[in-house]
Amino acid sequence: MGEFELIRHYFAAAPCAQAGDGVALGIGDDCALLALPAGQQLAVSTDTLVAGVHFPDAAEPFLLGQRALAVAASDLAAMGAEPIGFTLALTLPSVAEGWLQGFAEGLNRMASQCRLSLIGGDTTRGPLSLTMTVFGRVPAGQALLRSGARAGDLLCVGGVLGDAAGALPLVLGQAEAVDAVAASLLAHYWSPPPQFGLGLALRGKATAAMDISDGLLADCGHIASASGVALALELEALPLSNALLALLGRQAAQTAALTGGDDYVLVFSLPPEHLPALRAEGWPIHVLGQVREGQGVCLLDACGHDITPAVRGYQHFRETP
Ligand code: ADP
Ligand code: MG
């Protein structure tokens, strides 16, 4: 199968590549064309996943397709943007039709869950890697930035933390768990649902927001520095799933939640007056701590003692000491 037949068969003809809201022209020309309503801004974000770095070479292609798009789409949700479309730059070592079929099915599943249309891409030969660029729209001035947190706001997250980090040893075949525990953690790793609904609900309410990809403490550090504030988190307030607690026990589950990463749950600062209405709408909001004057992130135990760990999350390139 040649490059153009491959593109047509697995991508251009896929359900997720058919006309979508906001897409004036999809796959097939030199560019796609997006139609943006007056008064809206385009939100754009790119993520690359490299085999052997972000996922095992032998990863199930269906799961990989699902996860790659979910991870990219999560950035749109974190801005309070509504989904439009995405491009896919795919580098493949060879044309393995079974692999492509599974990958395209996983991609279609997540694209339809997120209401994102595949609008273009690039197909090249080389070591397996995927780059997705996602496009969304948000009314001008209403995007949720990292920079607006103010002393007195609550620091909140939109779901349980650490499940994906807990799943990683299972994904890598380095650990085993009973079926119910493994299924629940692996579901979060392979198919983290982008929190589009919550992002929308937070517009005009949250003062800062982002999605947790590198670990709670590391990502809170980004909000703290962008906003010029300090964030104080309480260890006992971390929301942990029963599956994670069953697999790891409390202490290791807390570490997974603090530094593990891959959660793709929103973390945001919220003036306290907005909390009751959001909770009444049913959003699973957990208050982790507070925004204070100062700088940096600290972790407090039940007695209010500072127990901030030294290692905060994953970085591809660390500064040398
Ligand atoms: P060009 O040479 O103009 O960059 P290509 O020949 O690479 O275009 O691609 C032809 C069309 O197919 C373009 O519309 C491009 O966006 C689309 N395309 C290529 N690869 C993919 C892919 N992996 N997924 C979706 N669309 C793709
Ligand atoms: Mg061209």
Side-chain angles (χ1 to χ4, degrees):
M1 179 178 280
E3 177 187 332
F4 296 109
E5 195 190 347
L6 183 161
I7 294 169
R8 195 195 56 73
H9 184 77
Y10 292 105
F11 301 114
C16 63
Q18 306 321 304
D21 192 23
V23 182
L25 183 67
I27 292 178
D29 215 310
D30 294 312
C31 287
L33 297 172
L34 301 181
L36 215 55
Q40 305 244 335
Q41 291 175 320
L42 188 63
V44 181
S45 169
T46 292
D47 278 287
T48 294
L49 300 184
V50 177
V53 178
H54 299 95
F55 60 90
D57 291 72
E60 188 82 45
F62 177 88
L63 297 174
L64 187 60
Q66 233 184 14
R67 181 168 192 272
L69 184 55
V71 165
S74 175
D75 286 315
L76 292 178
M79 294 296 281
E82 289 174 83
I84 302 176
F86 68 103
T87 60
L88 166 66
L90 187 58
T91 303
L92 297 169
S94 62
V95 178
E97 298 194 15
W99 191 95
L100 277 161
Q101 186 65 38
F103 177 78
E105 281 168 14
L107 198 67
N108 274 300
R109 173 77 65 85
M110 186 53 68
S112 111
Q113 190 178 319
C114 294
R115 291 183 297 110
L116 279 166
S117 304
L118 178 59
I119 59 169
D122 198 20
T123 306
T124 52
R125 184 194 292 267
L128 179 59
S129 93
L130 321 164
T131 296
M132 306 237 179
T133 301
V134 290
F135 301 86
R137 60 170 165 258
V138 61
Q142 288 189 36
L144 302 171
L145 310 183
R146 299 178 177 187
S147 52
R150 292 292 167 261
D153 291 346
L154 301 173
L155 185 72
C156 305
V157 287
V160 296
L161 302 174
D163 278 8
L168 193 57
L170 307 177
V171 172
L172 298 175
Q174 296 165 347
E176 285 183 12
V178 295
D179 286 355
V181 166
S184 152
L185 298 180
L186 287 170
H188 201 101
Y189 180 86
W190 284 118
S191 175
Q195 296 193 299
F196 279 109
L198 178 59
L200 233 63
L202 293 178
R203 274 191 203 159
K205 299 190 173 79
T207 49
M210 66 181 294
D211 64 326
I212 303 171
S213 55
D214 295 336
L216 176 68
L217 289 178
D219 287 330
C220 281
H222 297 308
I223 291 183
S225 64
S227 296
V229 294
L231 302 181
L233 285 72
E234 291 157 32
L235 181 67
E236 296 304 321
L238 292 174
L240 305 170
S241 72
N242 289 332
L244 189 67
L245 287 166
L247 182 72
L248 297 182
R250 181 162 298 273
Q251 206 177 351
Q254 287 170 332
T255 303
L258 289 168
T259 61
D262 284 340
D263 290 301
Y264 302 105
V265 162
L266 302 190
V267 55
F268 51 95
S269 55
L270 188 72
E273 64 268 24
H274 293 308
L275 185 61
L278 286 166
R279 282 211 169 127
E281 289 170 21
W283 299 111
I285 297 178
H286 305 270
V287 178
L288 296 186
Q290 293 163 349
V291 182
R292 298 177 176 173
E293 281 171 21
Q295 57 181 2
V297 179
C298 69
L299 181 67
L300 306 174
D301 69 10
C303 304
H305 296 131
D306 189 335
I307 51 164
T308 313
V311 176
R312 300 193 167 187
Y314 187 75
Q315 292 184 28
H316 286 271
F317 303 99
R318 280 190 186 281
E319 56 277 44
T320 38

